[in-house]
Each structure stands twice: as structure tokens, then as C-alpha cells.
Amino acid sequence: MPTADFSLLLPVYAADDAAFVRAAFESSVDGQTLSPAEAVIVQDGPVPDALAAELARIVAESPIPVQLVRLPENLGLAEALNCGLDAVSHPIVARMDADDVSVPERFARQWELIEAGFDLVGTGMAEFESDPDRPASVRTPPVGAARIREHARTHNPFNHPTMMYRVAAIDRIGRYEPFGKMEDYWLGVRLIDSGARIENIAEPLLRYRVGSGSFARRGGWREARTEWKLQRELLRMGFVTVPQYARNVVMKGAYRLLPAGVKRVLFRGLISGGLPGDRS
């Protein structure tokens, strides 16, 4: 099995399904045309027995070395990812969520661009509800630095579970910072603003599981307040203009407060391409 000098970073927590974690890991290691040299799994707090048993099985049977970092309590996604970055052995990291599925050529395609000098490479992804082979929709990210930067003024330009990046570039901006469910969006904006070399591959190289409650979790007053906080930060750092800030506060804040069914229609039809993930 050909490998390259990068680490797979896979955070898990109590609500993750053991079978989904197995599929995520196997698709990102055994199923890749170019596999990571190691995997770092961060267990963010106590987990149910079934998930603990699955993690033990992965460590014992994996064809590549696996470090299992156990955090004694749930610290949240940003801190879990930072703990994982502390543990990786390689200068390049590939993100993976615990319930998604990587397409076989995902890492080989991203690695080509990393070797060409890019600091962060994302990809498109296909959303599915139960069967990864029957996607409901595709999120195609912007391609090219100028388009990515412009898109970032209104939406996350990177599909967060598809990221492959240089640890040094992440270190330069202070790594992940807790920001509600918008850690990855905030990370991406800071990377862009730092002058990092960024790119996306338009093709959907990851299959992203969308649960029945995902659109409800993207809304509510808490999410609206996080959205407004993010917009204030973008304005403060000069990433958006005052008119862009005002537009985003109104439009994106209103979107967060819409009923889940309405958000699903709008997201699939109009806004697809960058709302943050659903993990707490």
C-alpha cells in the first residue's frame, strides 16, 4: 500500500457511531490509492463501550501506525484538533470527520498540490443521508486564490472535512480557536489573511453524511449570535467592508433563524458551498 509523509487526523466523541467511524477510517487508509503514513485519532472525552471497542480494534488491526489520544473530558472540536496536531509526526495533516467517507483518490489528488507548494488544499464533497453511493447533492468549492478569498467574505470557502494542510501554516496563525461551530471557517479566513497558498479541487473527493437533524443544528439564536460575532471579527480585521458586513449580518443571521425545512431548501438550492459543520 503506497503511503506519503502525512498524518490522518480523526477526532471522535461520544455521539459518534462506531460503524461510521470504521467506515471513515477504512476509506481514508485501506481504501486510498495513496495512504497516510500514520493516523492520529483524538478521543474527545469518554465514549460508549461500542465506540471504545471499535477504536481498540482500529489500533490493533490498522495497516499503518495509529496513535489514540484520549482526552479525559470533552474539550470541544477546536481543542481536540489542537491536541491532535500536538501528536502528529508529519508536517502535513489530512482532516477527516468520524462519519464521512473518503473517495479512493482523495489523498493522491491533494498530495500533488501540497507537493507543488500549497499550504492548504480542500476538495468538493457529495452529501448523502444513508447510502454514500447515492448522494443527494454536491458542494463544489471555489477554485483559485482570488475566487476563494472572495467567497470567504460570505461563506466558508473550504469544505472543512476535506482539508489537507501544512502544520507550519496552521501554527503561524495560532491553530484552531474555539468559535462555536465555525472553527474551520475562522481558521480558513485567518489562513487566507496570512498569505498562505490555498487551493481547492472542485471534484467531490469526500462523501459527507448529512443527518436528519443537521439543518436544525445549523440554526437558532446561538448559531445566529456566533454568526454575528464572526462577522464582527471579519470587519475588525478588514476582511470585509462595512457594506459587506451589514449584508452578512442581515442575510446570514436571518438564515440561521429560519425553520429547518426552509433552510434545507435554501441551502441545497442557493447557498450550498460553505456553512460550517454540525459537530459540537
Side-chain angles (χ1 to χ4, degrees):
M1 180 175 65
T3 63
D5 290 335
F6 69 94
S7 302
L8 177 71
L9 178 54
L10 176 62
V12 301
Y13 77 136
D16 287 322
D17 183 283
F20 295 167
V21 171
R22 175 182 295 197
F25 184 85
E26 291 181 349
S27 71
S28 302
V29 176
D30 311 68
Q32 288 295 301
T33 59
L34 181 70
S35 297
E38 71 163 0
V40 173
I41 300 175
V42 182
Q43 179 185 309
D44 188 12
V47 298
D49 291 345
L51 181 52
E54 178 58 32
L55 295 177
R57 187 201 67 80
I58 288 173
V59 171
E61 299 178 7
S62 170
I64 63 172
V66 178
Q67 295 187 61
L68 179 57
V69 179
R70 293 187 179 92
L71 304 180
E73 59 182 319
N74 180 266
L75 300 180
L77 182 56
E79 291 302 326
L81 290 169
N82 286 336
C83 290
L85 290 174
D86 286 337
V88 299
S89 305
H90 298 282
I92 310 299
V93 161
R95 275 284 313 274
M96 185 65 187
D97 278 356
D99 55 358
D100 299 331
V101 177
S102 289
V103 171
E105 64 272 21
R106 174 192 165 186
F107 294 149
R109 295 282 305 281
Q110 291 180 284
W111 185 251
E112 289 179 0
L113 292 176
I114 291 291
E115 285 199 305
F118 286 95
D119 295 309
L120 183 150
V121 179
T123 82
M125 64 186 189
E127 293 186 340
F128 71 96
E129 294 195 4
S130 57
D131 184 351
D133 295 322
R134 299 182 64 184
S137 63
V138 173
R139 291 200 216 174
T140 303
V143 175
R147 289 189 61 203
I148 290 171
R149 184 180 182 91
E150 186 59 30
H151 191 87
R153 300 185 200 283
T154 54
H155 296 92
N156 187 350
F158 305 110
N159 290 320
H160 71 274
T162 73
M163 291 179 174
M164 178 183 280
Y165 49 63
R166 297 183 188 277
V167 176
I170 304 300
D171 285 343
R172 282 195 294 270
I173 62 168
R175 295 192 174 185
Y176 288 90
E177 295 179 357
F179 214 109
K181 294 177 182 176
M182 300 186 184
E183 306 96 340
D184 294 284
Y185 190 174
W186 181 228
L187 181 86
V189 165
R190 289 182 291 131
L191 272 176
I192 294 168
D193 199 56
S194 75
R197 292 191 65 194
I198 52 171
E199 187 54 286
N200 277 316
I201 298 168
E203 289 84 357
L205 300 182
L206 180 129
R207 293 165 184 168
Y208 178 73
R209 190 181 303 273
V210 180
S212 59
S214 65
F215 285 88
R217 290 192 296 272
R218 286 173 179 156
W221 282 106
R222 176 181 293 182
E223 296 306 310
R225 285 192 292 268
T226 302
E227 183 73 68
W228 294 327
K229 178 183 175 183
L230 176 65
Q231 295 305 323
R232 288 195 300 272
E233 289 298 316
L234 298 186
L235 179 63
R236 179 193 59 78
M237 65 193 294
F239 198 81
V240 297
T241 65
V242 172
Q244 288 169 337
Y245 164 79
R247 176 198 61 194
N248 290 346
V249 164
V250 172
M251 294 185 64
K252 301 194 74 180
Y255 172 84
R256 297 288 176 185
L257 298 175
L258 289 172
V262 177
K263 283 203 293 287
R264 179 183 291 270
V265 173
L266 289 175
F267 185 84
R268 292 272 168 81
L270 301 174
I271 311 175
S272 180
L275 289 176
D278 300 320
R279 203 205 129 159
S280 31

